[in-house]
């Protein structure tokens, strides 16, 4: 487990460094080609401003979008007990616990810092999962808080936006000095798209990292796999309008609710006895089973906030 955690941390760190190296290269290139660099501090200030605003209002936006209501220990004793135990295992402060009344089964964690962590569940997940599955899901969410990857996501998401602003500034400013302005604009657009792909890679990596974190603090691989299967199924059968209403915060969820209908088709092959769950035996069989993932699904994964669900559960089989 320690080795795998180290590898995930390394991937995350390298992706963040690459992303910030990208923006640094664009700014330096712009200053070099045009012969001055004073105005480019504006983009740095703009980026920092975006990050700071996201940092300040992010939690409130998530709360409003999901209609989160925080619950006391008296209102949800079992939920508080599970979160307290997992937080102790994770070595973090117990986060605030909230419930969203949406019927789409899911859970999410957010906050500005580890001490400001909040973990929330939907009414749908409380009505869908059994106790062990819910514990594994909560372990995943508390791992996001432990890893503090919410702050990383906030930080890196502003970088492609800065590249986009640079591109707009040079492509439509009329400054074609030695063709440098147009060249910088084109390169900034390319950096914007590459930056978006890196941000999505970071988002997918943090999900693998949190899956492993759940197991390390008390969740069971088969219970998390079964929970993911049920969440996908729940989202797939939910009304499209209800899914659309909360798509804006889907990056915080355990799975990409927009792809649920495609995911359920892939995952159904794992539920061998068709009982709606993935058992320990069914998960273990994945270790010796070749899972076929279509090329189109592999390509689509590059543009997704979450890993391919079949690959994700296959990795959980390695931990069982």
């Amino acid at each position: 487990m320690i080795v795998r955690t180290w590898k995930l941390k390394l991937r995350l760190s390298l992706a963040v460094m690459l992303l910030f190296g990208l923006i640094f290269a664009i700014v330096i290139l712009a200053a070099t080609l045009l012969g001055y660099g004073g105005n480019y501090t504006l983009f740095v200030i703009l980026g920092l401003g975006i990050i700071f605003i996201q940092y300040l209002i992010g939690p409130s936006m998530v709360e409003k979008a999901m209609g989160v209501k925080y619950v006391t220990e008296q209102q949800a004793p079992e939920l508080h007990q599970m979160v307290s135990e997992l937080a102790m295992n994770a070595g973090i402060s117990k986060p605030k616990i909230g419930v969203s009344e949406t019927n789409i089964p899911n859970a999410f964690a957010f906050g500005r810092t580890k001490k400001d962590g909040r973990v929330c569940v939907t009414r749908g997940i409380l009505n869908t999962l059994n106790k062990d599955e819910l514990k594994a899901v909560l372990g995943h969410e508390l791992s996001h808080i432990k890893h503090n990857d919410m702050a990383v996501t906030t930080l890196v998401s502003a970088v492609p936006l800065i590249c986009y602003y640079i591109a707009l500034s040079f492509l439509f400013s009329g400054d074609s000095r030695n063709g440098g302005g147009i060249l910088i604009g084109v390169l900034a657009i390319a950096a914007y798209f590459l930056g978006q792909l890196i941000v999505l890679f970071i988002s997918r990596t943090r999900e693998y990292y949190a899956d492993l974190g759940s197991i390390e603090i008390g969740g069971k691989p088969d219970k998390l796999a079964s929970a993911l299967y049920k969440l996908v199924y729940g989202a797939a059968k939910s009304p499209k309008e209800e899914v659309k209403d909360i798509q804006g915060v889907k990056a915080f969820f355990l799975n990409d609710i927009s792809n649920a209908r495609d995911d359920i088709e892939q995952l159904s092959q794992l539920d061998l006895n068709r009982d709606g769950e993935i058992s320990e035996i069914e998960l273990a069989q994945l270790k010796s089973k070749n899972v076929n993932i279509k090329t189109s699904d592999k390509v689509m994964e590059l543009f997704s906030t979450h890993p391919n669900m079949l690959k994700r559960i296959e990795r959980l089989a390695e931990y069982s």
Side-chain angles (χ1 to χ4, degrees):
M1 291 295 185
I2 295 175
V3 174
R4 292 189 179 113
T5 301
W6 176 81
K7 288 181 179 179
L8 286 168
K9 284 182 180 179
L10 181 62
R11 286 183 188 178
L12 207 57
S13 299
L14 289 175
V16 171
M17 286 190 289
L18 178 60
L19 195 58
F20 280 92
L22 188 66
I23 185 64
F24 180 76
I26 289 293
V27 172
I28 293 299
L29 180 63
T32 303
L33 288 178
L34 298 185
Y36 62 92
N39 290 343
Y40 300 103
T41 56
L42 173 64
F43 299 118
V44 177
I45 294 172
L46 181 63
L48 292 174
I50 292 170
I51 292 169
F52 185 65
I53 291 171
Q54 287 180 326
Y55 179 80
L56 287 180
I57 69 173
S60 298
M61 291 178 65
V62 174
E63 288 170 353
K64 185 175 181 180
M66 291 302 299
V68 173
K69 302 293 183 186
Y70 293 103
V71 293
T72 65
E73 196 165 349
Q74 290 71 33
Q75 292 171 318
E78 191 172 51
L79 198 56
H80 270 268
Q81 183 181 358
M82 279 193 279
V83 171
S84 295
E85 178 186 338
L86 290 166
M88 185 180 299
N89 293 344
I92 60 174
S93 302
K94 180 183 175 183
K96 293 175 68 175
I97 302 172
V99 175
S100 168
E101 291 301 328
T102 179
N103 290 317
I104 298 175
N106 229 295
F108 49 101
F110 59 102
R112 299 184 183 93
T113 63
K114 290 182 182 182
K115 292 185 178 180
D116 181 51
R118 305 123 194 251
V119 60
C120 298
V121 294
T122 66
R123 184 62 61 188
I125 202 172
L126 294 176
N127 295 332
T128 301
L129 303 187
N130 62 42
K131 184 176 179 179
D132 288 335
E133 291 166 344
L134 182 58
K135 181 179 179 180
V137 164
L138 290 171
H140 173 101
E141 297 305 335
L142 264 70
S143 293
H144 278 310
I145 297 173
K146 178 183 178 181
H147 303 153
N148 205 26
D149 57 28
M150 302 95 68
V152 173
T153 303
T154 299
L155 188 68
V156 301
S157 62
V159 175
L161 199 55
I162 296 171
C163 293
Y164 181 73
Y165 287 144
I166 292 175
L168 288 182
S169 175
F170 283 103
L171 289 176
F172 301 104
S173 66
D175 183 0
S176 57
R177 196 181 320 173
N178 298 322
I182 294 175
L183 175 61
I184 293 168
V186 171
L187 290 175
I189 281 290
Y192 165 74
F193 285 110
L194 180 57
Q196 289 284 34
L197 291 177
I198 295 172
V199 168
L200 290 172
F201 171 79
I202 290 170
S203 180
R204 294 193 299 272
T205 300
R206 80 186 191 109
E207 293 302 324
Y208 282 126
Y209 195 14
D211 284 349
L212 179 55
S214 173
I215 297 164
E216 289 178 333
I217 65 174
K220 297 179 180 178
D222 58 298
K223 298 303 179 183
L224 182 55
S226 188
L228 289 170
Y229 180 40
K230 289 183 177 181
L231 297 189
V232 168
Y233 189 85
K237 69 177 184 179
S238 296
K240 291 183 179 180
E241 296 76 16
E242 194 171 352
V243 172
K244 188 177 179 180
D245 286 343
I246 58 175
Q247 274 194 118
V249 292
K250 68 179 183 180
F252 290 94
F253 295 157
L254 267 85
N255 65 298
D256 187 343
I257 57 175
S258 304
N259 293 338
R261 295 177 189 274
D262 294 328
D263 288 340
I264 198 64
E265 183 180 346
Q266 296 181 47
L267 295 183
S268 60
Q269 64 184 291
L270 307 182
D271 184 14
L272 301 178
N273 59 6
R274 298 293 187 269
D275 65 348
E277 298 181 358
I278 296 177
S279 68
E280 187 174 4
I281 294 174
E282 288 170 331
L283 185 64
Q285 289 180 343
L286 272 178
K287 293 180 181 180
S288 57
K289 182 179 180 181
N290 291 324
V291 176
N292 294 319
I293 301 174
K294 294 184 291 186
T295 302
S296 59
D297 291 328
K298 292 178 181 178
V299 172
M300 289 303 297
E301 184 186 28
L302 296 175
F303 303 95
S304 176
T305 54
H306 291 73
N308 176 279
M309 189 58 76
L310 204 53
K311 281 173 59 178
R312 191 170 167 186
I313 291 182
E314 187 177 26
R315 183 166 297 193
L316 285 174
E318 296 175 13
Y319 304 150
S320 62

